[in-house]
Amino acid sequence: MAILVTGGTGFIGSHTVVELIKENFEVVILDNLYNSNIEVLDKIETITNIRPKFYKADILDKEALRKIFSENKIEAVIHYAGYKAVGESVEKPILYYENNVTGSLNLYEVMSEFNVKTLVFSSSATVYGDPAKLPIKEDFPLSTTNPYGTTKLFNERILEDIYVSDNNWSIMILRYFNPIGAHKSGLIGETPNGIPNNLVPYIAQVATGEREFLRVWGNDFNTVDGTGVRDYIHVVDLALGHIKAIQYALSHKGVEKVNLGTGNGYSVLQVREAFEKACGKKIPYKIMDRRPGDIAECYADTTKAYELLGWKAKFGIDEMCQDGWNFSKNIIK
Ligand code: NAD
Ligand code: UD1
Protein backbone atom coordinates (compact mmCIF):
# COMPACT_ATOMS: atom_id res chain seq x y z
CA MET A 1 0.00 0.00 0.00
CA ALA A 2 1.27 3.46 -0.89
CA ILE A 3 0.80 7.04 0.18
CA LEU A 4 0.01 9.40 -2.70
CA VAL A 5 1.64 12.79 -2.20
CA THR A 6 0.17 15.47 -4.45
CA GLY A 7 2.61 18.35 -4.89
CA GLY A 8 5.32 15.95 -3.72
CA THR A 9 8.19 17.63 -5.55
CA GLY A 10 7.36 21.01 -3.95
CA PHE A 11 8.97 22.59 -0.89
CA ILE A 12 7.00 20.93 1.91
CA GLY A 13 6.05 17.86 -0.14
CA SER A 14 9.65 16.88 -0.94
CA HIS A 15 10.64 17.05 2.74
CA THR A 16 7.63 14.94 3.67
CA VAL A 17 8.45 12.35 1.00
CA VAL A 18 11.94 11.98 2.52
CA GLU A 19 10.50 11.39 5.98
CA LEU A 20 7.83 9.00 4.66
CA ILE A 21 10.50 6.92 2.93
CA LYS A 22 12.55 6.93 6.13
CA GLU A 23 9.49 5.51 7.92
CA ASN A 24 9.26 2.75 5.25
CA PHE A 25 6.14 4.08 3.57
CA GLU A 26 5.87 3.43 -0.14
CA VAL A 27 5.38 6.78 -1.85
CA VAL A 28 3.79 7.80 -5.13
CA ILE A 29 4.24 11.44 -6.14
CA LEU A 30 1.90 13.42 -8.36
CA ASP A 31 3.00 16.89 -9.45
CA ASN A 32 2.56 18.97 -12.60
CA LEU A 33 5.95 20.64 -11.94
CA TYR A 34 4.34 24.09 -12.12
CA ASN A 35 6.35 25.24 -9.12
CA SER A 36 8.98 22.55 -8.73
CA ASN A 37 11.65 20.71 -10.60
CA ILE A 38 11.97 17.09 -11.69
CA GLU A 39 15.55 17.07 -10.30
CA VAL A 40 14.04 17.01 -6.83
CA LEU A 41 13.49 13.28 -7.44
CA ASP A 42 17.26 12.78 -7.84
CA LYS A 43 17.81 14.68 -4.60
CA ILE A 44 15.24 12.56 -2.76
CA GLU A 45 16.98 9.46 -4.11
CA THR A 46 20.40 10.74 -2.99
CA ILE A 47 19.08 11.36 0.52
CA THR A 48 17.06 8.15 0.94
CA ASN A 49 18.53 5.70 -1.64
CA ILE A 50 14.99 5.20 -2.91
CA ARG A 51 13.41 6.82 -5.95
CA PRO A 52 9.69 7.30 -5.40
CA LYS A 53 7.32 6.58 -8.26
CA PHE A 54 6.44 9.84 -10.00
CA TYR A 55 3.57 10.97 -12.21
CA LYS A 56 3.73 14.30 -14.01
CA ALA A 57 0.04 14.98 -13.71
CA ASP A 58 -2.40 17.74 -12.89
CA ILE A 59 -5.13 17.49 -10.26
CA LEU A 60 -7.37 19.33 -12.73
CA ASP A 61 -7.17 16.25 -14.96
CA LYS A 62 -9.58 13.71 -13.46
CA GLU A 63 -8.65 10.98 -15.94
CA ALA A 64 -4.99 11.30 -14.97
CA LEU A 65 -6.02 10.95 -11.32
CA ARG A 66 -8.04 7.82 -12.11
CA LYS A 67 -5.04 6.32 -13.92
CA ILE A 68 -2.83 6.85 -10.85
CA PHE A 69 -5.40 5.31 -8.51
CA SER A 70 -5.95 2.35 -10.79
CA GLU A 71 -2.23 1.65 -11.30
CA ASN A 72 -1.31 1.83 -7.60
CA LYS A 73 -2.69 0.55 -4.33
CA ILE A 74 -3.18 3.93 -2.66
CA GLU A 75 -3.92 3.75 1.04
CA ALA A 76 -3.99 7.45 1.85
CA VAL A 77 -3.31 10.84 0.29
CA ILE A 78 -1.30 13.81 1.51
CA HIS A 79 -2.57 16.73 -0.53
CA TYR A 80 -0.12 19.62 -1.07
CA ALA A 81 -0.74 20.47 -4.74
CA GLY A 82 -1.94 24.04 -5.10
CA TYR A 83 -0.97 27.62 -5.70
CA LYS A 84 0.16 29.64 -2.69
CA ALA A 85 1.03 33.24 -3.60
CA VAL A 86 -1.27 35.58 -1.71
CA GLY A 87 -0.72 38.65 -3.95
CA GLU A 88 -1.20 36.64 -7.14
CA SER A 89 -4.43 35.20 -5.76
CA VAL A 90 -5.83 38.72 -5.41
CA GLU A 91 -5.01 39.42 -9.07
CA LYS A 92 -6.09 36.02 -10.41
CA PRO A 93 -8.85 34.70 -8.16
CA ILE A 94 -10.37 32.43 -10.83
CA LEU A 95 -7.05 30.70 -11.37
CA TYR A 96 -6.70 30.13 -7.62
CA TYR A 97 -10.26 28.87 -7.09
CA GLU A 98 -9.90 26.60 -10.11
CA ASN A 99 -6.59 25.06 -9.07
CA ASN A 100 -7.06 24.92 -5.31
CA VAL A 101 -10.79 24.21 -5.11
CA THR A 102 -11.79 22.51 -8.39
CA GLY A 103 -8.51 20.56 -8.43
CA SER A 104 -9.06 19.42 -4.83
CA LEU A 105 -12.68 18.44 -5.57
CA ASN A 106 -11.44 16.27 -8.43
CA LEU A 107 -9.05 14.58 -6.07
CA TYR A 108 -11.71 13.98 -3.40
CA GLU A 109 -14.10 12.63 -6.04
CA VAL A 110 -11.57 10.18 -7.44
CA MET A 111 -10.50 9.13 -3.93
CA SER A 112 -14.15 8.35 -3.24
CA GLU A 113 -14.48 6.35 -6.46
CA PHE A 114 -11.51 4.22 -5.44
CA ASN A 115 -12.66 3.97 -1.83
CA VAL A 116 -9.56 5.79 -0.54
CA LYS A 117 -10.86 7.83 2.39
CA THR A 118 -7.78 8.80 4.36
CA LEU A 119 -6.50 12.30 3.69
CA VAL A 120 -4.09 14.85 5.11
CA PHE A 121 -4.82 18.33 3.80
CA SER A 122 -2.44 21.35 3.77
CA SER A 123 -4.26 24.26 5.28
CA SER A 124 -2.75 27.45 6.64
CA ALA A 125 -2.82 29.72 9.67
CA THR A 126 -4.15 32.29 7.21
CA VAL A 127 -7.65 30.85 7.94
CA TYR A 128 -7.55 32.56 11.35
CA GLY A 129 -7.53 36.03 9.74
CA ASP A 130 -6.48 38.64 12.29
CA PRO A 131 -6.79 36.72 15.56
CA ALA A 132 -8.35 38.50 18.53
CA LYS A 133 -6.20 36.55 21.00
CA LEU A 134 -2.87 34.72 21.08
CA PRO A 135 -1.72 31.99 20.97
CA ILE A 136 -4.10 30.73 18.32
CA LYS A 137 -6.19 27.66 19.13
CA GLU A 138 -7.90 25.45 16.56
CA ASP A 139 -11.39 26.46 17.68
CA PHE A 140 -10.81 30.21 17.12
CA PRO A 141 -13.12 31.96 14.63
CA LEU A 142 -12.12 31.63 10.99
CA SER A 143 -11.98 34.35 8.35
CA THR A 144 -9.84 35.21 5.35
CA THR A 145 -8.54 38.33 3.69
CA ASN A 146 -7.56 37.08 0.23
CA PRO A 147 -8.62 34.43 -2.33
CA TYR A 148 -5.70 32.14 -1.45
CA GLY A 149 -6.86 31.99 2.16
CA THR A 150 -10.44 31.50 1.05
CA THR A 151 -9.45 28.47 -1.08
CA LYS A 152 -8.01 26.91 2.08
CA LEU A 153 -11.13 27.69 4.11
CA PHE A 154 -13.40 26.34 1.33
CA ASN A 155 -11.42 23.11 1.31
CA GLU A 156 -11.81 22.80 5.06
CA ARG A 157 -15.59 23.24 4.77
CA ILE A 158 -15.83 20.80 1.83
CA LEU A 159 -13.91 18.18 3.79
CA GLU A 160 -16.16 18.59 6.83
CA ASP A 161 -19.21 18.07 4.60
CA ILE A 162 -17.64 15.01 3.00
CA TYR A 163 -17.17 13.50 6.45
CA VAL A 164 -20.75 14.28 7.45
CA SER A 165 -21.95 12.46 4.33
CA ASP A 166 -19.69 9.46 4.92
CA ASN A 167 -18.23 8.67 8.33
CA ASN A 168 -15.70 6.29 6.85
CA TRP A 169 -13.44 9.20 5.97
CA SER A 170 -10.44 10.07 8.06
CA ILE A 171 -9.35 13.63 7.43
CA MET A 172 -6.54 15.62 9.02
CA ILE A 173 -6.61 19.34 8.30
CA LEU A 174 -3.20 20.71 9.17
CA ARG A 175 -2.87 24.45 9.59
CA TYR A 176 0.74 25.43 9.01
CA PHE A 177 2.26 28.54 10.46
CA ASN A 178 5.38 29.83 8.63
CA PRO A 179 7.51 27.00 7.23
CA ILE A 180 11.17 27.88 6.56
CA GLY A 181 14.56 26.14 6.55
CA ALA A 182 15.62 23.16 4.49
CA HIS A 183 16.81 19.58 4.75
CA LYS A 184 20.16 19.17 6.57
CA SER A 185 21.74 17.77 3.39
CA GLY A 186 21.31 21.13 1.66
CA LEU A 187 19.89 19.20 -1.32
CA ILE A 188 16.23 20.18 -1.05
CA GLY A 189 14.69 23.45 0.08
CA GLU A 190 12.59 26.36 -1.15
CA THR A 191 13.33 27.90 -4.55
CA PRO A 192 10.95 30.82 -5.07
CA ASN A 193 10.37 32.19 -8.55
CA GLY A 194 10.92 35.92 -9.02
CA ILE A 195 10.94 38.33 -6.11
CA PRO A 196 10.17 36.37 -2.93
CA ASN A 197 7.10 37.50 -0.99
CA ASN A 198 8.01 35.65 2.15
CA LEU A 199 10.52 36.95 4.64
CA VAL A 200 13.18 34.26 4.84
CA PRO A 201 13.54 33.58 1.09
CA TYR A 202 13.94 37.36 0.66
CA ILE A 203 16.58 37.60 3.40
CA ALA A 204 18.42 34.65 1.80
CA GLN A 205 18.59 36.56 -1.49
CA VAL A 206 20.01 39.60 0.29
CA ALA A 207 22.65 37.27 1.77
CA THR A 208 23.52 35.82 -1.65
CA GLY A 209 23.83 39.34 -3.08
CA GLU A 210 20.80 39.01 -5.37
CA ARG A 211 18.96 41.79 -3.50
CA GLU A 212 20.46 44.88 -1.96
CA PHE A 213 18.53 45.14 1.29
CA LEU A 214 15.58 43.73 3.18
CA ARG A 215 12.43 45.81 3.04
CA VAL A 216 10.90 45.61 6.50
CA TRP A 217 7.14 46.08 6.12
CA GLY A 218 6.45 48.45 9.02
CA ASN A 219 7.90 48.94 12.50
CA ASP A 220 4.85 50.45 14.16
CA PHE A 221 3.01 47.26 15.12
CA ASN A 222 2.24 46.54 18.74
CA THR A 223 5.03 43.94 19.06
CA VAL A 224 8.37 43.49 20.82
CA ASP A 225 10.21 45.82 18.39
CA GLY A 226 7.36 47.11 16.23
CA THR A 227 7.94 44.62 13.38
CA GLY A 228 5.62 41.72 12.55
CA VAL A 229 5.85 38.57 14.68
CA ARG A 230 5.30 35.08 13.22
CA ASP A 231 5.60 31.45 14.25
CA TYR A 232 8.38 30.13 11.99
CA ILE A 233 8.65 26.36 11.81
CA HIS A 234 11.44 24.22 10.36
CA VAL A 235 10.16 22.42 7.26
CA VAL A 236 11.57 19.12 8.55
CA ASP A 237 9.56 19.51 11.76
CA LEU A 238 6.53 20.18 9.60
CA ALA A 239 7.25 17.04 7.54
CA LEU A 240 7.53 15.01 10.76
CA GLY A 241 4.16 16.42 11.82
CA HIS A 242 2.71 14.94 8.63
CA ILE A 243 4.13 11.51 9.46
CA LYS A 244 2.36 11.63 12.83
CA ALA A 245 -0.80 12.91 11.16
CA ILE A 246 -0.88 10.16 8.53
CA GLN A 247 -0.24 7.51 11.19
CA TYR A 248 -3.10 8.92 13.24
CA ALA A 249 -5.41 9.15 10.23
CA LEU A 250 -4.72 5.54 9.26
CA SER A 251 -6.03 4.37 12.62
CA HIS A 252 -8.92 6.78 13.36
CA LYS A 253 -12.00 8.09 11.56
CA GLY A 254 -13.19 11.67 11.73
CA VAL A 255 -12.05 15.20 10.87
CA GLU A 256 -9.36 16.85 12.97
CA LYS A 257 -7.92 20.32 12.58
CA VAL A 258 -4.44 20.72 13.98
CA ASN A 259 -2.03 23.65 14.18
CA LEU A 260 1.54 22.92 13.13
CA GLY A 261 3.76 25.62 14.57
CA THR A 262 6.35 25.91 17.31
CA GLY A 263 4.28 28.15 19.58
CA ASN A 264 7.06 30.80 19.56
CA GLY A 265 6.86 34.13 17.78
CA TYR A 266 9.85 35.96 16.26
CA SER A 267 9.87 39.48 14.87
CA VAL A 268 11.22 40.42 11.44
CA LEU A 269 14.29 41.97 13.04
CA GLN A 270 14.87 38.93 15.26
CA VAL A 271 14.76 36.65 12.22
CA ARG A 272 17.12 38.96 10.37
CA GLU A 273 19.54 38.75 13.29
CA ALA A 274 19.35 34.94 13.42
CA PHE A 275 20.00 34.78 9.68
CA GLU A 276 22.99 37.13 9.98
CA LYS A 277 24.44 34.74 12.55
CA ALA A 278 23.80 31.77 10.30
CA CYS A 279 25.36 33.22 7.15
CA GLY A 280 28.05 35.39 8.75
CA LYS A 281 27.02 38.38 6.61
CA LYS A 282 25.30 41.69 7.28
CA ILE A 283 21.70 41.88 6.10
CA PRO A 284 21.06 45.57 5.49
CA TYR A 285 17.45 46.68 5.84
CA LYS A 286 15.14 49.64 5.37
CA ILE A 287 11.90 50.27 7.20
CA MET A 288 9.05 50.68 4.72
CA ASP A 289 5.30 51.24 5.03
CA ARG A 290 3.18 48.34 6.23
CA ARG A 291 2.25 45.70 3.63
CA PRO A 292 -1.53 45.77 3.07
CA GLY A 293 -3.30 42.98 4.94
CA ASP A 294 -0.40 42.20 7.31
CA ILE A 295 -1.24 41.46 10.91
CA ALA A 296 0.94 42.27 13.93
CA GLU A 297 1.34 38.87 15.52
CA CYS A 298 0.53 35.27 14.77
CA TYR A 299 1.66 32.19 16.69
CA ALA A 300 0.17 28.83 17.46
CA ASP A 301 -1.13 27.11 20.51
CA THR A 302 0.46 23.71 19.91
CA THR A 303 -1.29 21.78 22.68
CA LYS A 304 -3.60 19.84 20.36
CA ALA A 305 -0.76 18.66 18.10
CA TYR A 306 1.03 17.30 21.15
CA GLU A 307 -2.00 15.75 22.83
CA LEU A 308 -3.49 14.19 19.69
CA LEU A 309 -0.39 13.32 17.69
CA GLY A 310 2.43 13.36 20.23
CA TRP A 311 4.18 15.84 17.98
CA LYS A 312 6.22 18.87 18.96
CA ALA A 313 8.61 20.95 16.87
CA LYS A 314 12.27 20.30 17.74
CA PHE A 315 14.19 22.96 15.86
CA GLY A 316 14.65 26.57 16.95
CA ILE A 317 15.07 29.71 14.88
CA ASP A 318 18.89 29.45 14.70
CA GLU A 319 18.77 25.97 13.19
CA MET A 320 15.99 27.01 10.78
CA CYS A 321 18.20 29.84 9.51
CA GLN A 322 21.37 27.71 9.37
CA ASP A 323 19.68 24.96 7.36
CA GLY A 324 17.91 27.50 5.14
CA TRP A 325 21.22 29.21 4.42
CA ASN A 326 22.99 25.90 3.85
CA PHE A 327 20.53 25.30 1.01
CA SER A 328 20.27 28.86 -0.36
CA LYS A 329 24.01 29.44 -0.62
CA ASN A 330 24.18 26.60 -3.16
CA ILE A 331 21.60 28.13 -5.46
CA ILE A 332 23.14 31.55 -6.09
CA LYS A 333 21.97 32.46 -9.59
P1 NAD B 1 5.12 24.48 -3.48
O1 NAD B 1 4.64 25.41 -4.52
O2 NAD B 1 6.58 24.35 -3.27
O3 NAD B 1 4.51 23.02 -3.71
C1 NAD B 1 3.26 22.82 -4.32
C2 NAD B 1 3.46 21.81 -5.44
O4 NAD B 1 2.20 21.58 -6.08
C3 NAD B 1 4.41 22.33 -6.53
O5 NAD B 1 5.42 21.36 -6.75
C4 NAD B 1 3.52 22.52 -7.75
O6 NAD B 1 4.21 22.23 -8.95
C5 NAD B 1 2.39 21.54 -7.47
N1 NAD B 1 1.11 21.88 -8.09
C6 NAD B 1 0.46 23.07 -8.08
N2 NAD B 1 -0.70 22.99 -8.75
C7 NAD B 1 -0.80 21.70 -9.17
C8 NAD B 1 -1.78 20.98 -9.91
N3 NAD B 1 -2.87 21.57 -10.38
N4 NAD B 1 -1.56 19.67 -10.17
C9 NAD B 1 -0.43 19.06 -9.74
N5 NAD B 1 0.52 19.69 -9.04
C10 NAD B 1 0.34 21.00 -8.76
O7 NAD B 1 4.40 24.92 -2.11
P2 NAD B 1 4.68 24.45 -0.62
O8 NAD B 1 5.27 25.59 0.11
O9 NAD B 1 5.37 23.14 -0.60
O10 NAD B 1 3.18 24.29 -0.11
C11 NAD B 1 2.51 23.06 -0.17
C12 NAD B 1 1.07 23.26 0.30
O11 NAD B 1 1.09 23.79 1.62
C13 NAD B 1 0.26 24.23 -0.55
O12 NAD B 1 -1.05 23.73 -0.65
C14 NAD B 1 0.28 25.50 0.26
O13 NAD B 1 -0.82 26.30 0.03
C15 NAD B 1 0.29 24.96 1.68
N6 NAD B 1 0.87 25.91 2.64
C16 NAD B 1 2.12 26.40 2.41
C17 NAD B 1 2.68 27.33 3.29
C18 NAD B 1 4.04 27.90 3.03
O14 NAD B 1 4.37 28.92 3.63
N7 NAD B 1 4.89 27.30 2.22
C19 NAD B 1 1.94 27.74 4.41
C20 NAD B 1 0.67 27.21 4.62
C21 NAD B 1 0.14 26.28 3.71
C1 UD1 C 1 2.24 35.02 4.27
C2 UD1 C 1 0.83 35.02 3.73
C3 UD1 C 1 0.07 33.86 4.33
C4 UD1 C 1 0.81 32.54 4.12
C5 UD1 C 1 2.21 32.69 4.72
C6 UD1 C 1 3.06 31.45 4.56
C7 UD1 C 1 0.40 37.42 3.29
C8 UD1 C 1 -0.42 38.62 3.68
N1 UD1 C 1 0.19 36.30 4.03
O1 UD1 C 1 2.13 35.22 5.65
O2 UD1 C 1 -1.22 33.76 3.76
O3 UD1 C 1 0.12 31.47 4.75
O4 UD1 C 1 2.86 33.78 4.06
O5 UD1 C 1 3.33 31.23 3.21
O6 UD1 C 1 1.17 37.44 2.35
N2 UD1 C 1 8.20 40.74 5.79
C9 UD1 C 1 9.04 41.83 5.61
N3 UD1 C 1 9.72 41.93 4.42
C10 UD1 C 1 9.59 41.01 3.41
C11 UD1 C 1 8.74 39.92 3.61
C12 UD1 C 1 8.03 39.83 4.80
O7 UD1 C 1 9.18 42.66 6.48
O8 UD1 C 1 10.23 41.19 2.36
C13 UD1 C 1 7.49 40.61 7.08
C14 UD1 C 1 5.98 40.61 6.96
O9 UD1 C 1 5.46 41.92 7.02
C15 UD1 C 1 5.58 39.73 8.16
C16 UD1 C 1 6.75 38.73 8.27
O10 UD1 C 1 7.85 39.34 7.61
O11 UD1 C 1 5.53 40.49 9.33
C17 UD1 C 1 6.46 37.39 7.64
O12 UD1 C 1 6.02 37.60 6.30
P1 UD1 C 1 5.76 36.38 5.28
O13 UD1 C 1 6.95 35.52 5.25
O14 UD1 C 1 5.27 36.97 4.01
O15 UD1 C 1 4.61 35.54 5.98
P2 UD1 C 1 3.16 35.98 6.51
O16 UD1 C 1 2.92 37.42 6.35
O17 UD1 C 1 2.99 35.43 7.87
Side-chain angles (χ1 to χ4, degrees):
M1 296 293 271
I3 310 289
L4 175 67
V5 183
T6 78
T9 43
F11 172 45
I12 307 173
S14 58
H15 289 83
T16 303
V17 168
V18 165
E19 299 305 326
L20 283 167
I21 293 174
K22 273 167 64 181
E23 288 292 318
N24 294 318
F25 283 100
E26 194 183 325
V27 177
V28 175
I29 296 178
L30 169 177
D31 202 298
N32 65 0
L33 301 178
Y34 172 85
N35 196 35
S36 55
N37 195 303
I38 190 72
E39 283 152 26
V40 167
L41 290 180
D42 301 333
K43 309 286 170 60
I44 292 172
E45 189 176 0
T46 306
I47 296 168
T48 63
N49 283 322
I50 288 178
R51 192 175 187 86
K53 193 164 176 184
F54 175 77
Y55 287 85
K56 183 171 188 294
D58 197 304
I59 53 169
L60 289 169
D61 180 351
K62 243 190 257 182
E63 280 314 310
L65 292 175
R66 291 196 176 103
K67 183 171 185 287
I68 296 170
F69 279 83
S70 56
E71 289 181 359
N72 300 278
K73 284 201 165 67
I74 305 292
E75 184 179 24
V77 178
I78 304 182
H79 177 32
Y80 292 109
Y83 296 154
K84 62 168 183 177
V86 172
E88 188 184 51
S89 79
V90 175
E91 285 159 32
K92 301 176 183 166
I94 297 172
L95 188 77
Y96 270 68
Y97 287 114
E98 185 189 31
N99 202 42
N100 294 7
V101 181
T102 308
S104 297
L105 279 171
N106 288 343
L107 176 69
Y108 308 151
E109 186 185 330
V110 175
M111 285 177 71
S112 244
E113 281 172 24
F114 285 82
N115 204 27
V116 178
K117 297 183 176 175
T118 304
L119 172 75
V120 175
F121 174 69
S122 292
S123 191
S124 164
T126 194
V127 300
Y128 295 113
D130 191 354
K133 275 192 304 184
L134 290 162
I136 300 172
K137 279 180 175 298
E138 286 83 354
D139 59 2
F140 277 19
L142 305 179
S143 68
T144 61
T145 52
N146 56 71
Y148 165 71
T150 311
T151 68
K152 292 295 173 194
L153 192 52
F154 283 177
N155 266 278
E156 292 202 5
R157 295 269 153 82
I158 291 165
L159 291 170
E160 281 170 31
D161 289 341
I162 290 176
Y163 178 71
V164 169
S165 76
D166 178 355
N167 288 181
N168 284 315
W169 279 81
S170 174
I171 299 168
M172 303 296 289
I173 292 171
L174 303 181
R175 296 178 178 148
Y176 315 154
F177 282 68
N178 292 56
I180 60 168
H183 191 261
K184 294 265 171 234
S185 62
L187 291 172
I188 51 173
E190 191 173 16
T191 43
N193 286 324
I195 304 174
N197 273 312
N198 294 121
L199 177 64
V200 175
Y202 199 101
I203 292 181
Q205 292 195 357
V206 176
T208 58
E210 257 178 278
R211 318 241 164 242
E212 214 182 319
F213 57 87
L214 168 67
R215 298 166 303 172
V216 176
W217 304 127
N219 67 348
D220 57 351
F221 291 101
N222 185 18
T223 63
V224 57
D225 55 20
T227 65
V229 167
R230 297 291 183 273
D231 185 340
Y232 297 93
I233 173 168
H234 196 299
V235 64
V236 172
D237 268 331
L238 196 65
L240 292 169
H242 286 74
I243 305 297
K244 295 284 190 188
I246 199 82
Q247 285 165 339
Y248 181 89
L250 286 168
S251 53
H252 297 79
K253 308 263 182 239
V255 188
E256 293 288 353
K257 293 150 210 152
V258 184
N259 287 340
L260 293 185
T262 65
N264 302 313
Y266 288 95
S267 75
V268 175
L269 295 180
Q270 287 169 336
V271 174
R272 170 189 162 271
E273 209 177 297
F275 207 94
E276 278 190 339
K277 242 193 310 172
C279 70
K281 300 174 189 218
K282 277 268 156 238
I283 307 290
Y285 70 97
K286 285 188 189 164
I287 305 291
M288 317 292 280
D289 288 342
R290 288 184 182 194
R291 183 171 67 174
D294 266 353
I295 59 175
E297 280 194 285
C298 174
Y299 52 89
D301 184 313
T302 58
T303 312
K304 183 169 178 185
Y306 188 63
E307 287 181 356
L308 193 77
L309 307 176
W311 173 89
K312 222 185 221 172
K314 290 186 297 216
F315 300 115
I317 192 72
D318 289 336
E319 214 153 359
M320 296 180 215
C321 291
Q322 278 155 18
D323 295 342
W325 173 240
N326 186 38
F327 174 75
S328 306
K329 68 174 196 251
N330 297 325
I331 54 163
I332 299 174
K333 294 203 177 93

